[in-house]
Amino acid sequence: MRVLGIETSCDDTGAAVYDEGRGLLAHRLFSQIDLHRAFGGVVPELAARDHIRRLLPLVRSVLEEAATAPREIDGVAYTAGPGLAGALLVGASLGRSLAWTWRAGAIGVHHMEGHLLSPMLEAERPSFPFLALLVSGGHTLLADVAGVGRYRILGESVDDAVGEAFDKTAKLLGLGYPGGPAVAAAAVRGRPQRFRFPRPMTDRPGLDFSFSGLKTFTRRTAEQHRLDEQTRADIACAFQEAAVDTLVIKCDRALSSSGHRRLVVAGGVGANRLLRQRLHGLAAEHDARLFYPRPEFCTDNGAMIAYAGWLRLRAGQRQGPEFDVFPRWRLESLPPL
Ligand code: KG4
Ligand code: ZN
């Protein structure tokens, strides 16, 4: 079975072709970063319009790279949610229509399931069950993963997602957009002793996260100092330390209470080097193994959608002739395979 995957949930247009026997044949991404940079964040209407412009040529080029004719496509997987409604509608309507035209199966994929399964695209892949830390611009959650579609949320953010906190910190410090990589780059020149930021919700039991207090603390600190280059780097460093530490403390607890020996980290913030480094240390302490996708598959991409869609199509799941999108969609509501 060969599946075309389409991702348009936010500001990246992604397409990929996954083959049951040969693995990932091709993947392409068009990032809208330049389009949204002037606004310091994603403008939903502009995102949707740009997906309309980019998606079809991107699909064409990925099929070409995969040396695949439309009649060789058995299934089309598109992100059906969660995400920006207008952006999702572009991928869903084109994906569903292509499947209809090509007489292929169609499946709407949950974006976070895509992230969660993305380490399976690598040679070193985890087997089930495992603990997953999903950290992106829209979500921060810890999940117990027993199999495909068998997810139990152990903890999640009660307010901002950690990626969002990175983005807001970058904006505050004038480090540019997108924020995560910019904060990480500035933090390298920061002095870790200068500031110590709070680790929210780590002083009480439980696996939920909160990042709005850290965001406010960061803003106050920035307001109280002259923001020369060194101070901005010091604040970026203190923020990153606190954010990463908070995630690691919760993973530590979750590994202890669940007894899992495999930990998966995925989603855009999963590309953060300090986080990976600390999680490696944590996994070693628990005699566990850490798994993650290559950096380009941490952030949004079509490959993870093609892969997750293939798993569900192979199991016989199909979307009917109609289509719908779900801007809010609980991971736990997915059917198990
Ligand atoms: O998964 P993703 O591409 O999109 C969503 O589903 O949200 O995640 C994007 C988020 C952004 O907030 C971005 O700033 C963050 O991931 N990010 C990072 C890094 N690379 C991307 N955060 C910290 N360090 C990074 N290296
Ligand atoms: Zn994402």
Side-chain angles (χ1 to χ4, degrees):
M1 178 182 267
R2 199 171 281 191
V3 175
L4 169 70
I6 289 174
E7 156 64 35
T8 64
S9 68
C10 189
D11 59 343
D12 290 305
T13 319
V17 179
Y18 186 86
D19 181 82
E20 175 147 15
R22 291 166 54 203
L24 194 63
L25 298 184
H27 62 95
R28 295 238 165 152
L29 191 80
F30 182 86
S31 163
Q32 300 181 354
I33 283 173
D34 292 338
L35 177 69
H36 301 290
R37 181 172 281 124
F39 304 94
V42 179
V43 183
E45 180 62 24
L46 293 183
R49 289 180 190 204
D50 211 49
H51 286 310
I52 293 173
R53 271 191 292 273
R54 308 288 176 188
L55 187 53
L56 206 45
L58 199 72
V59 166
R60 236 181 232 129
S61 74
V62 86
L63 286 178
E64 204 170 293
E65 192 185 328
T68 297
R71 64 182 151 71
E72 295 173 282
I73 293 287
D74 307 293
V76 180
Y78 52 85
T79 306
L84 304 170
L88 288 166
L89 276 168
V90 178
S93 53
L94 185 74
R96 188 67 198 88
S97 310
L98 287 177
W100 189 81
T101 312
W102 297 343
R103 298 175 201 280
I107 188 87
V109 172
H110 191 293
H111 181 79
M112 297 312 287
E113 177 169 71
H115 276 306
L116 199 150
L117 299 173
S118 61
M120 305 283 193
L121 289 162
E122 306 301 344
E124 284 206 26
R125 32 185 296 166
S127 50
F128 297 112
F130 55 76
L131 178 73
L133 173 69
L134 298 184
V135 277
S136 71
H139 294 81
T140 307
L141 59 90
L142 267 167
D144 191 302
V145 179
V148 179
R150 295 170 63 201
Y151 313 128
R152 196 161 57 85
I153 309 275
L154 303 174
E156 61 191 319
S157 180
V158 297
D159 41 57
D160 295 0
V162 62
E164 197 179 341
F166 266 94
D167 293 335
K168 285 178 180 163
T169 298
K171 201 169 179 177
L172 182 79
L173 298 177
L175 295 173
Y177 167 86
V183 169
V188 173
R189 299 183 303 274
R191 297 167 301 183
Q193 316 82 339
R194 182 154 174 215
F195 300 112
R196 186 180 162 82
F197 287 8
R199 275 71 172 149
M201 289 179 81
T202 53
D203 55 351
R204 52 186 126 146
L207 294 170
D208 282 338
F209 304 89
S210 162
F211 288 99
S212 75
L214 175 59
K215 182 184 69 185
T216 308
F217 194 94
T218 307
R219 199 191 63 233
R220 291 235 179 86
T221 308
E223 283 164 3
Q224 285 159 5
H225 293 81
R226 198 171 65 80
L227 290 180
D228 54 43
E229 195 166 338
Q230 186 59 54
T231 301
R232 295 194 300 176
D234 293 342
I235 292 175
C237 179
F239 166 82
Q240 182 177 243
E241 282 286 334
V244 165
D245 220 23
T246 304
L247 297 171
V248 172
I249 290 168
K250 297 296 164 101
C251 285
D252 186 12
R253 272 184 205 168
L255 282 171
S256 295
S257 60
S258 67
H260 278 305
R261 287 284 168 273
R262 285 175 288 271
L263 172 63
V264 158
V265 58
V269 184
N272 186 277
R273 280 178 55 191
L274 184 70
L275 177 62
R276 287 186 176 194
Q277 200 181 316
R278 297 277 166 85
L279 288 177
H280 265 297
L282 179 74
E285 281 169 29
H286 284 266
D287 203 14
R289 273 186 72 192
L290 179 67
F291 297 87
Y292 44 78
R294 67 194 89 164
E296 59 184 318
F297 291 165
C298 272
T299 43
D300 292 346
N301 64 87
M304 66 182 193
I305 303 303
Y307 180 77
W310 165 67
L311 284 173
R312 291 193 171 275
L313 288 162
R314 185 184 61 164
Q317 293 184 15
R318 295 283 185 280
Q319 169 67 38
E322 76 290 3
F323 70 89
D324 206 351
V325 296
F326 311 95
R328 287 169 176 277
W329 189 4
R330 293 283 298 172
L331 191 59
E332 280 171 314
S333 69
L334 294 179
L337 286 198

